[in-house]
Amino acid sequence: MGDLRLRLNQTQRVRLEAALHELQTLAAAAAAAVTFADNIPVNPEDTILKGHGTSDQDGEVVATVCGVVERVQNLVCVRTLRARYKPQKGDIIIGRVSEIASKRWRLETNFSQGAVLMLSSMNLPDGIQRRRTDIDELNMRSILEENDLVCAEVRHIQHDGSLDLQPRSQKYAALQRGQLLTVPAYLVKRRKQHFHHLEQYDADLILGCNGFIWVGEHVAVDEGTNLNEDQHKLSMEVEAFTPLETRRHICRLANAVRVLSALGFTLTVELIIQTAEASLSSHVEISDMLGAEFYVQTAEREAKRRADLSRRMNGPR
């Protein structure tokens, strides 16, 4: 919220401050938040394992960072609310090709270290599984070229911290006809599913763990067809056109992500769809979604949703 810059009138400012205060109150009640040097209450009879963000001082567990206390059996750690992206094996990320090297592509992934996608991990255009030759290396730009967007999975983290990637799916190997959004990585939580097909919008949504989010036209791949080169070029020309209505849906979903990110809300597919649907039901134009009034409405709507959820969980008083 510190990076949010809006031109608010007095009424909108009061409404936004009230909604944010309600959200902070609910967040403090839902989680055990600690600051630096706070004592973390533990049972002295239990064998406690001190994890990240904790330290032992005079027999007490003390927080060394600001964040939320998390407990997994006997392990106690503190998860920072705002942190840079720290990759883990199996993460779904989105990268941009920055360089083509020997039998590999180097990618920019919003991480301090580099990332590499090997030629051997990519499917060749002919679809035949075989050893990669020097001819394949010369034709690497026919698969991916500089500035292309790729959705990949972290296969391995090298000793120097660089990432070894593999394409998560050949369907999403190269991303086209959409928008790439950059948000703070801590707003995207690791989940079982990061690929989402939004049928009502005919769009694909990919939430990258590294803070790159892709909103684009839905890609349908029919693996049972085998087209020759002329038929393939013709089909590519036809598919290169994105319908106007789909473009509007992509822009609306992208603006929903921008609004939620600016407000500091954790990005989930449910919340993104609810925000887009709210703009449609309120007859808000796509360009007006980035206006001050819609920001205030989104904050009020989320505060009401979390308050209702808290009441249902705690029961009537």
Side-chain angles (χ1 to χ4, degrees):
M1 279 300 303
D3 299 332
L4 184 59
R5 296 292 183 269
L6 292 175
R7 300 184 62 179
L8 301 169
N9 58 38
Q10 185 63 28
T11 303
Q12 291 171 339
R13 188 179 303 277
V14 172
R15 291 167 54 198
L16 181 59
E17 290 177 353
L20 295 179
H21 177 73
E22 178 71 15
L23 288 169
Q24 292 175 356
T25 303
L26 293 171
V34 294
T35 59
F36 179 75
D38 281 354
N39 290 333
I40 301 176
V42 296
N43 189 351
E45 298 180 357
D46 296 337
T47 302
I48 299 299
L49 301 177
K50 291 174 287 296
H52 174 74
T54 62
S55 178
D56 188 1
Q57 292 187 1
D58 299 330
E60 295 183 348
V61 181
V62 178
T64 58
V65 296
C66 300
V68 177
V69 178
E70 292 186 345
R71 303 172 188 266
V72 180
Q73 295 181 356
N74 292 337
L75 176 64
V76 178
C77 60
V78 179
R79 175 176 57 84
T80 56
L81 297 179
R82 295 193 176 190
R84 299 185 64 181
Y85 171 61
K86 296 180 180 179
Q88 295 182 8
K89 184 178 179 181
D91 279 357
I92 302 299
I93 64 175
I94 298 174
R96 185 187 296 273
V97 178
S98 60
E99 181 186 354
I100 299 179
S102 174
K103 295 185 178 180
R104 68 196 65 195
W105 292 271
R106 301 190 187 278
L107 276 65
E108 162 59 30
T109 59
N110 197 26
F111 181 51
S112 57
Q113 301 294 329
V116 171
L117 180 63
M118 300 299 296
L119 173 62
S120 58
S121 64
M122 295 290 291
N123 279 359
L124 298 176
D126 55 16
I128 301 176
Q129 299 294 330
R130 55 178 173 80
R131 292 176 63 91
R132 275 47 172 178
T133 63
D134 295 338
I135 301 299
D136 296 325
E137 185 175 356
L138 293 174
N139 294 330
M140 286 176 61
R141 279 188 172 83
S142 64
I143 304 175
L144 292 172
E145 58 184 12
E146 289 86 349
N147 293 322
D148 278 357
L149 297 174
V150 183
C151 182
E153 178 182 355
V154 178
R155 179 170 62 180
H156 182 67
I157 301 177
Q158 304 291 349
H159 296 292
D160 60 354
S162 61
L163 306 181
D164 184 13
L165 306 178
Q166 64 182 1
R168 181 62 176 84
S169 170
Q170 296 302 326
K171 176 179 178 180
Y172 299 108
L175 303 175
Q176 298 177 346
R177 301 193 296 276
Q179 293 189 31
L180 177 68
L181 306 169
T182 303
V183 304
Y186 60 83
L187 296 180
V188 182
K189 304 303 180 186
R190 293 178 175 88
R191 301 179 182 274
K192 294 183 179 179
Q193 184 62 257
H194 286 262
F195 299 87
H196 304 282
H197 173 207
L198 310 181
E199 297 182 1
Q200 65 272 38
Y201 298 113
D202 192 26
D204 287 330
L205 175 66
I206 304 177
L207 303 176
C209 294
N210 59 336
F212 286 171
I213 295 180
W214 173 258
V215 183
E217 183 182 2
H218 176 60
V219 178
V221 177
D222 187 1
E223 300 179 352
T225 59
N226 186 12
L227 303 177
N228 58 38
E229 185 176 356
D230 294 337
Q231 291 175 330
H232 179 69
K233 290 182 178 179
L234 180 60
S235 64
M236 288 296 291
E237 292 178 358
V238 174
E239 293 177 357
F241 175 75
T242 303
L244 179 59
E245 191 65 22
T246 302
R247 299 183 191 181
R248 290 173 176 166
H249 290 326
I250 292 173
C251 292
R252 188 174 295 276
L253 291 168
N255 280 351
V257 173
R258 292 186 179 99
V259 171
L260 296 172
S261 172
L263 291 172
F265 295 157
T266 301
L267 297 174
T268 62
V269 61
E270 295 82 8
L271 188 55
I272 293 173
I273 293 177
Q274 289 175 8
T275 305
E277 292 290 344
S279 67
L280 283 171
S281 61
S282 302
H283 305 288
V284 178
E285 296 294 334
I286 296 175
S287 59
D288 294 336
M289 291 178 65
L290 301 180
E293 180 61 26
F294 190 72
Y295 276 88
V296 176
Q297 292 178 1
T298 303
E300 291 176 338
R301 189 183 311 108
E302 180 64 11
K304 182 178 182 302
R305 184 188 70 84
R306 295 188 185 182
D308 294 341
L309 180 61
S310 177
R311 281 193 292 269
R312 286 198 299 269
M313 294 179 61
N314 299 329
R317 295 183 178 179

